[in-house]
Amino acid sequence: MRSDVDPDPWPTENPTRVALVTGASGGIGRAVAERLAADGMTVAVHYAGRRDRAQDVVDAVTAGGGQAVLVNADVADEHEVATVFDRIEQELGGIDVVVHTAGIMLLSPVEELDLDEFDTMHRTNVRGTFVVAREAARRVRRGGAIINFSTSVVKLALPSYGAYAATKGAVDALTMILAKEMRGRDVTVNAVAPGPTATPLFLEGKSQEVIDRMASLPPLERLGEPGDVAEAVSFQAGAGRWVNGQVVYVNGGVA
């Protein structure tokens, strides 16, 4: 599949910091993009297949007085991802924060999982994370941040999440090692591990009974909201300079 960076004009004057948010066309990715824009960053809103939803994010950011641009790529394609980074550098002057929220979740007991589905998740969740993280490690400016997305299910070990959690366990390992490899660069590398969060990705295919049961797990007795997760990302992208090489669980206290 061939994707190109969106050809629309980009702003000629930008705030000091520039962020790329992958998977920003909906759910947690949208909340992250809007929050970083509210923090004063110019945000490159990445999408893979839903340009209309990504444009809605850009429109929301600009309506609020922020700056946002569209970028389009298959996150597992290293050439397309490099093209996105190239244009961000050329048009916006550099890149300071990379938040990789793009991912897919297919649920099944291990013994029943179609291996084609496992390969699909692996390509997006593992290879895609590696490709984006590799490019970010080469490009992010001093004082910047790389933030990957894991899941609390790695720790919770819920049935039917085996293959998905396995892909995110790889993200955890990559994150902690990359943080050490960035020594001397003044770039933090962390992962956010949301718990049950009210997004289309989480809610799709679940009965109300299952949703209610998941909402009862945290001591706070509710599902997380995308804004809860975006708050944690904002901290890591900004003031949280002493948080590094960590998988930060954002799940309301689920254990």
Side-chain angles (χ1 to χ4, degrees), residues 72-180:
N72 172 230
D74 173 357
V75 294
D77 185 314
E78 66 271 30
H79 304 295
E80 294 186 18
V81 170
T83 298
V84 166
F85 277 79
D86 285 344
R87 190 166 181 205
I88 291 172
E89 289 182 332
Q90 292 164 8
E91 302 291 339
L92 302 179
I95 186 162
D96 303 283
V97 175
V98 174
V99 186
H100 182 60
T101 79
I104 59 175
M105 180 172 64
L106 303 172
L107 303 182
S108 169
V110 171
E111 66 178 344
E112 299 174 10
L113 182 70
D114 186 317
L115 288 178
D116 287 340
E117 293 187 348
F118 179 79
D119 290 343
T120 297
M121 277 195 293
H122 189 279
R123 185 178 189 278
T124 298
N125 297 355
V126 180
R127 179 185 170 92
T129 300
F130 191 92
V131 167
V132 172
R134 186 180 70 163
E135 208 63 42
R138 295 170 173 174
R139 314 265 198 144
V140 169
R141 295 186 286 204
R142 294 185 67 85
I146 300 169
I147 303 168
N148 294 322
F149 261 69
S150 180
T151 174
S152 290
V153 177
V154 173
K155 180 173 67 173
L156 299 175
L158 299 176
S160 80
Y161 284 80
Y164 174 70
T167 67
K168 293 301 187 175
V171 172
D172 291 357
L174 171 63
T175 298
M176 291 182 283
I177 291 169
L178 182 58
K180 294 181 178 181

Side-chain angles (χ1 to χ4, degrees), residues 9-95:
W10 288 21
T12 56
E13 296 182 2
N14 304 286
T16 301
R17 306 190 82 207
V18 176
L20 166 64
V21 181
T22 69
S25 60
I28 292 173
R30 175 173 185 151
V32 168
E34 292 181 353
R35 176 53 194 264
L36 295 184
D39 290 343
M41 300 185 197
T42 291
V43 180
V45 175
H46 163 269
Y47 70 100
R50 291 295 303 272
R51 188 185 190 281
D52 55 336
R53 290 170 57 182
Q55 184 63 55
D56 287 344
V57 179
V58 171
D59 293 343
V61 167
T62 55
Q67 290 187 319
V69 297
L70 285 177
V71 293
N72 172 230
D74 173 357
V75 294
D77 185 314
E78 66 271 30
H79 304 295
E80 294 186 18
V81 170
T83 298
V84 166
F85 277 79
D86 285 344
R87 190 166 181 205
I88 291 172
E89 289 182 332
Q90 292 164 8
E91 302 291 339
L92 302 179
I95 186 162

